[in-house]
Amino acid sequence: MTEPQIVVGILSGKEIQFSFPDEFISSDGMAISGIQQAVYRKGKIYWQEKEYDELSFIPRQNTSSFFELQDVTIGINFHWERKEVQRFKGELKIIVEDDKLTAINIISIEDYLTSVISSEMSATASLELLKAHAVISRSWLLNKLRVVNKLRVENGELRVTMQPDNAAHSPLSTLHSQLIKWYDHEAHKNFDVCADDHCQRYQGITRASTPQAVEAVSATRGEVLMYEGKICDARFSKCCGGAFEEFQNCWENVRHPYLIGQRDSQTENKLPDLTVEVEADKWIRTSPVAFCNTQDKEILSQVLNNYDQETADFYRWKVSYSQEELSELIHKRSGIGFGKIIDLIPVERGTSGRLVRLKIVGTLRTLTIGKELEIRRTLSTSHLYSSAFVVDKEYKEEEEQEIPSRFILTGAGWGHGVGLCQIGAAVMGEQGYKYEEILSHYYPNSTIERQYK
């Protein structure tokens, strides 16, 4: 296998503003530099008073050349969402998609990975953490290309055949007053992955890649996690909250033996059965020993970029809603009128204590929702930190006792908790663990193999 290229969707809009500090060559052979603008008009791309179905720009042989894109949105639908100018190496391609323009970056996988591990976490992170992240990011990507897009080899080179992903937004089930959905990474028609957290956070060369980030990708070049001859679907999240979640509790009902529930610790191996409500309640309300249970700002700064550090609480957190806030929020986010909210009742929990199904009891209707991301989306204006939470209710003496006046959610972790815990892995790196040991901890039963040189 030779090193493949990856096609990344960066942004979409009726207009796209971009610039070339150095000369690029357009698809019609023009040498271009400076500030540019492409506009969507009647199903075509308009650029420099010409009409195109597709437009591309390739750098001259100078590999240090880059292009800039204006108004790239990062953290889409998350609490840190914002726009910024971003820089990218490789080829820029502009296409027409859904009555607007989409800017696409075509780049080698290894260059892509250098950016991803710098974008997902600070490039100042420990070398072992960066190596571990390079391997799992490469594994996730090649797994996605092979399984979802049916990667095939043509003439000794990798090519991608796009296929619809039936599991991207699973059919919802409303059987017996349930609404159960899961959201996997979307199958994109015209590119392999998007540039935001919904796939892997990719920001080109916008943020500096230190020599350590480059070394981490180079040292692990072509390495992926394998299980029984197949590349692992190597998921990861910010903070597991002390215990790993299992794949099938967040996405489709497929069990992966390398994504199993266990404790995020090498010293405390015993994990309570957090699928049992009383055990989950005790676990979430306390602060058990775990790699990711840290307040060390130097370690956290390795994993949390500046916009992520706006979130101070992640291992254990609290969110409080008044009755009015919660009932309006659930109505807005679900599109379902529950009336006043009477209760939020855990129905099913996973191995980390994360809720897989939650019953919402209202004065107008009762409905059980799931899986974890649907619960997080329903109970927050963006995404609740995780679905590992317990609920306390407050009542006003002068009002009806069956209608709570306030709901307090006490929770654990940040993200789905499946696979590598980024904060836990950062702590392991600082404690001297090698990247192979970090990967063995978070993906038990897997092995590391090199796919290309």
Side-chain angles (χ1 to χ4, degrees), residues 117-344:
I117 64 171
S118 301
S119 300
E120 284 284 349
M121 58 188 66
S122 169
T124 60
S126 72
L127 181 59
E128 297 306 307
L129 171 61
L130 295 176
K131 285 180 181 178
H133 218 294
V135 173
I136 64 170
S137 293
R138 189 183 292 111
S139 302
W140 176 85
L141 183 61
L142 289 176
N143 173 278
K144 179 179 173 62
L145 292 179
R146 285 176 179 274
V147 176
V148 179
N149 302 333
K150 293 192 176 179
L151 193 75
R152 55 191 171 90
V153 177
E154 292 182 350
N155 302 323
E157 294 187 4
L158 260 53
R159 294 283 185 262
V160 175
T161 303
M162 300 303 298
Q163 297 289 343
D165 179 5
N166 295 326
H169 294 282
S170 69
L172 60 86
S173 165
T174 53
L175 184 65
H176 305 306
S177 296
Q178 290 193 103
L179 194 154
I180 308 299
K181 301 170 73 175
W182 69 88
Y183 301 80
D184 212 337
H185 303 285
E186 296 180 7
H188 302 286
K189 182 180 178 182
N190 296 307
F191 46 89
D192 302 329
V193 291
C194 66
D196 207 57
D197 294 65
H198 297 289
C199 289
Q200 293 193 101
R201 187 185 293 176
Y202 170 66
Q203 295 165 356
I205 58 171
T206 309
R207 284 168 179 77
S209 297
T210 64
Q212 273 198 312
V214 176
E215 182 184 349
V217 173
S218 176
T220 64
R221 181 179 174 85
E223 288 186 358
V224 296
L225 287 173
M226 302 287 290
Y227 178 78
E228 292 189 346
K230 294 181 180 179
I231 299 175
C232 293
D233 188 351
R235 304 295 172 113
F236 58 90
S237 64
K238 275 285 186 285
C239 178
C240 68
F244 308 163
E245 192 48 73
E246 297 194 348
F247 180 93
Q248 71 275 11
N249 293 326
C250 298
W251 299 288
E252 60 184 317
N253 293 318
V254 175
R255 190 175 188 275
H256 294 299
Y258 53 87
L259 296 174
I260 57 176
Q262 66 180 45
R263 189 157 178 171
D264 187 24
S265 174
Q266 292 285 348
T267 56
E268 298 286 340
N269 294 323
K270 187 177 179 182
L271 178 66
D273 185 354
L274 302 182
T275 65
V276 176
E277 190 60 31
V278 65
E279 296 290 353
D281 189 285
K282 186 190 305 181
W283 176 265
I284 292 169
R285 292 185 191 277
T286 56
S287 186
V289 171
F291 284 123
C292 59
N293 186 358
T294 180
Q295 299 294 320
D296 189 320
K297 290 185 178 180
E298 287 191 12
I299 292 177
L300 295 178
S301 69
Q302 295 180 17
V303 177
L304 307 177
N305 277 309
N306 291 334
Y307 42 88
D308 286 350
Q309 291 184 54
E310 294 166 11
T311 304
D313 303 318
F314 48 85
Y315 190 71
R316 294 294 181 267
W317 47 265
K318 282 185 185 290
V319 174
S320 177
Y321 295 117
S322 68
Q323 172 63 237
E324 293 71 25
E325 289 171 336
L326 185 61
S327 56
E328 287 177 13
L329 176 64
I330 292 175
H331 186 196
K332 180 180 178 181
R333 298 292 283 170
S334 69
I336 299 169
F338 286 84
K340 291 185 177 181
I341 305 301
I342 298 172
D343 210 348
L344 301 173

